[in-house]
């Protein structure tokens, strides 16, 4: 649904505090625009906000397989997002919006490849660091009801320990091992976005293991080991001023980083309750 001159249809979302413009062309551009308000319900940009980055989209072209994660090497940062199938395109668009926001924030904040949930009463947040495809979204869907859904993808941690929410559409894998995911509105999963300040209270590195038996196994890393571990899960880390000191300061403020080996997300419920509780 472009006009006779082929003009793009435009909208914008707020991703990690970055306004990302979305420009859609193609004969079925209107179908894309119709889906975005619900999917990005918790990431709407103000109507007069100027984009810091723009993602071009063309609906009807060939699909570019989603073979890279937002926090890894990205080969297609400038080409239009294209796909022959609307669901595939919406997944690729979410990835590109995330990449655009991460690139815009380079050098400004610590960005961890992580999910995050927070307690609505206190704003205390648990940050769950893990590689893509290892259960972050499943954890959020399993343990997120009654809590604030902060993100299932990127935790943006400021120098003072506060977190910039990114309650984007949930990217739910269509089948085990599949590269393709369905974008789902957070409210459809019963999740609510933060309505107040969020601050890191605990930081965990998740290691999901189908062979694990019993309660989750937890070890706590000291500062040096924790910094080494987290550097593998951070975006644009060298762009930060004194990056390793920045990570170390966060680790020390939280009393270390917990490494958690577990089998099912539901098994983490007691741990998360403890991390989010207000200390007495």
């Amino acid at each position: 649904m472009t006009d006779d001159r082929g003009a793009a249809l435009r909208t914008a979302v707020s991703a990690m505090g970055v306004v990302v413009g979305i420009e859609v062309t193609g004969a079925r551009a209107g179908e894309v625009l119709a889906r975005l308000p619900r999917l990005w319900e918790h990431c709407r940009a103000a109507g007069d906000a100027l984009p810091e980055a723009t993602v071009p989209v063309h609906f009807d072209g060939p699909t570019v397989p989603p073979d890279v994660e937002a926090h890894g090497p990205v080969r297609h940062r400038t080409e239009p997002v294209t796909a022959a199938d609307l669901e595939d395109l919406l997944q690729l668009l979410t990835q590109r919006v995330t990449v655009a926001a991460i690139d815009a924030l380079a050098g400004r904040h610590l960005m961890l490849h992580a999910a995050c949930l927070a307690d609505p009463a206190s704003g205390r947040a648990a940050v769950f660091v893990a590689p893509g495809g290892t259960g972050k979204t499943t954890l959020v869907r399993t343990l997120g009801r009654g809590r604030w859904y902060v993100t299932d993808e990127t935790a943006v941690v400021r120098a003072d320990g506060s977190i910039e929410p990114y309650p984007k559409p949930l990217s739910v894998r269509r089948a085990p091992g599949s590269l393709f995911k369905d974008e789902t509105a957070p409210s459809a999963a019963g999740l609510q976005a933060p309505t107040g300040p969020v601050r890191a209270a605990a930081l965990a590195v998740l290691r999901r293991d189908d062979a694990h038996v019993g309660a989750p196994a937890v070890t706590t890393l000291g500062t040096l080991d924790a910094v080494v571990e987290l550097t593998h899960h951070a975006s644009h880390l060298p762009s930060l001023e004194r990056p390793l000191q920045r990570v170390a300061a966060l680790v020390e403020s939280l009393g270390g980083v917990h490494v958690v080996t577990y089998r099912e997300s539901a098994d983490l419920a007691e741990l998360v309750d403890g991390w989010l509780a207000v200390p007495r």
Side-chain angles (χ1 to χ4, degrees):
M1 290 179 61
T2 55
D3 63 24
D4 292 338
R5 297 166 296 176
L9 299 181
R10 293 178 173 84
T11 189
V13 298
S14 179
M16 311 173 215
V18 175
V19 177
V20 178
I22 300 172
E23 297 185 349
V24 190
T25 58
R28 298 170 63 189
E31 295 180 38
V32 180
L33 267 291
R35 292 287 297 278
L36 298 184
R38 177 76 192 284
L39 291 177
W40 292 87
E41 58 191 355
H42 297 322
C43 296
R44 296 182 181 178
D48 58 351
L50 296 177
E52 292 185 52
T54 300
V55 175
V57 180
H58 184 79
F59 186 29
D60 274 340
T63 299
V64 177
D67 58 350
V68 292
E69 292 292 331
H71 292 254
V74 177
R75 298 172 298 149
H76 305 286
R77 274 179 159 86
T78 57
E79 297 89 342
V81 176
T82 60
D85 177 83
L86 179 56
E87 302 307 318
D88 294 348
L89 183 141
L90 292 171
Q91 176 196 350
L92 296 169
L93 176 56
T94 297
Q95 293 177 347
R96 281 284 296 278
V97 167
T98 300
V99 169
I102 287 172
D103 286 349
L105 290 174
R108 291 156 61 178
H109 302 298
L110 174 63
M111 294 177 282
L112 297 173
H113 195 191
C116 183
L117 295 172
D119 174 55
S122 65
R124 289 170 56 86
V127 180
F128 308 98
V129 175
T134 58
K136 295 187 302 299
T137 299
T138 299
L139 183 150
V140 164
R141 294 170 67 202
T142 303
L143 302 179
R145 289 178 181 268
R147 299 187 169 108
W148 281 343
Y149 163 51
V150 183
T151 186
D152 74 337
E153 171 62 35
T154 303
V156 179
V157 186
R158 303 184 186 92
D160 65 357
S162 62
I163 297 174
E164 177 66 44
Y166 182 38
K168 68 172 194 60
L170 297 170
S171 300
V172 180
R173 203 170 295 277
R174 295 178 192 173
S178 172
L179 290 174
F180 289 95
K181 304 176 183 180
D182 289 324
E183 301 306 293
T184 303
S187 62
L191 302 179
Q192 58 177 324
T195 57
V198 176
R199 179 173 294 275
L203 185 56
V205 174
L206 301 183
R207 293 180 178 165
R208 186 174 179 277
D209 182 358
D210 286 332
H212 183 76
V213 178
V218 183
T219 59
T220 301
L221 301 178
T223 301
L224 180 58
D225 289 338
V227 169
V228 172
E229 178 71 33
L230 293 178
T231 58
H232 299 297
H233 303 283
S235 294
H236 292 299
L237 186 60
S239 300
L240 281 175
E241 182 178 359
R242 296 167 58 86
L244 299 183
Q245 290 88 337
R246 178 76 170 269
V247 177
L250 175 64
V251 170
E252 291 178 353
S253 73
L254 300 176
V257 170
H258 309 293
V259 178
V260 184
T261 303
Y262 70 106
R263 181 172 181 177
E264 302 293 343
S265 294
D267 300 336
L268 301 175
E270 186 174 344
L271 281 174
V272 176
D273 285 343
W275 289 334
L276 297 185
V278 176
R280 295 184 179 180

